Amino acid sequence: MTTFGKIYCLAALMLALSIPAQAGDAERGKELSTPCAACHGPDGTSPTPAFPNIGGQLPEYLYRALLDYKLGTRENAIMAGQVANLSKQDMKDLAAFYGSQKGSLYLKR
């Protein structure tokens, strides 16, 4: 294995270990998703190009994005306000719900 390959494998392993195992409850996430639907749509398909489609996205990615907004390492004033009162379990549940949707990540507008 090349040096680059070893570095890539190490980086992938570190990323995998930095994201906690997902134990989200999609049904509870659906209940929590009401405020999210205004921008991201009820199933994660945004009604406008101003907001991303999140339905069908990997739950691990969604959870990490929500956590990063909460920690301030990912900046967006709207999202910072939305996640301010969410617990880690709430974020896992939302990630499980939106991750379970069919999604339209590649929807052409």
Side-chain angles (χ1 to χ4, degrees), residues 47-63:
T48 173
F51 302 105
N53 293 318
I54 58 174
Q57 184 61 269
L58 293 173
E60 295 83 2
Y61 172 80
L62 293 170
Y63 172 73

Side-chain angles (χ1 to χ4, degrees), residues 76-109:
N76 179 284
I78 295 170
M79 287 302 298
Q82 294 300 315
V83 301
N85 294 319
L86 295 177
S87 69
K88 287 184 178 182
Q89 188 61 52
D90 292 340
M91 293 185 283
K92 288 178 183 180
D93 295 344
L94 283 165
F97 169 66
Y98 281 112
S100 71
Q101 300 305 295
K102 181 177 179 188
S104 296
L105 291 175
Y106 304 103
L107 177 69
K108 291 186 180 183
R109 297 192 190 264

Side-chain angles (χ1 to χ4, degrees), residues 5-15:
K6 290 177 185 175
I7 292 171
Y8 179 80
C9 287
L10 179 61
L13 178 63
M14 289 173 58
L15 177 63

Side-chain angles (χ1 to χ4, degrees), residues 5-87:
K6 290 177 185 175
I7 292 171
Y8 179 80
C9 287
L10 179 61
L13 178 63
M14 289 173 58
L15 177 63
L17 294 175
S18 70
I19 301 173
Q22 299 302 306
D25 178 346
E27 277 302 311
R28 184 163 178 277
K30 183 177 182 177
E31 294 171 12
L32 294 170
S33 73
T34 303
C36 310
C39 297
H40 297 290
D43 65 352
T45 303
S46 177
T48 173
F51 302 105
N53 293 318
I54 58 174
Q57 184 61 269
L58 293 173
E60 295 83 2
Y61 172 80
L62 293 170
Y63 172 73
R64 187 70 223 191
L66 292 170
L67 184 61
D68 286 347
Y69 285 124
K70 188 170 182 81
L71 296 173
T73 55
R74 190 169 182 172
E75 296 180 11
N76 179 284
I78 295 170
M79 287 302 298
Q82 294 300 315
V83 301
N85 294 319
L86 295 177
S87 69

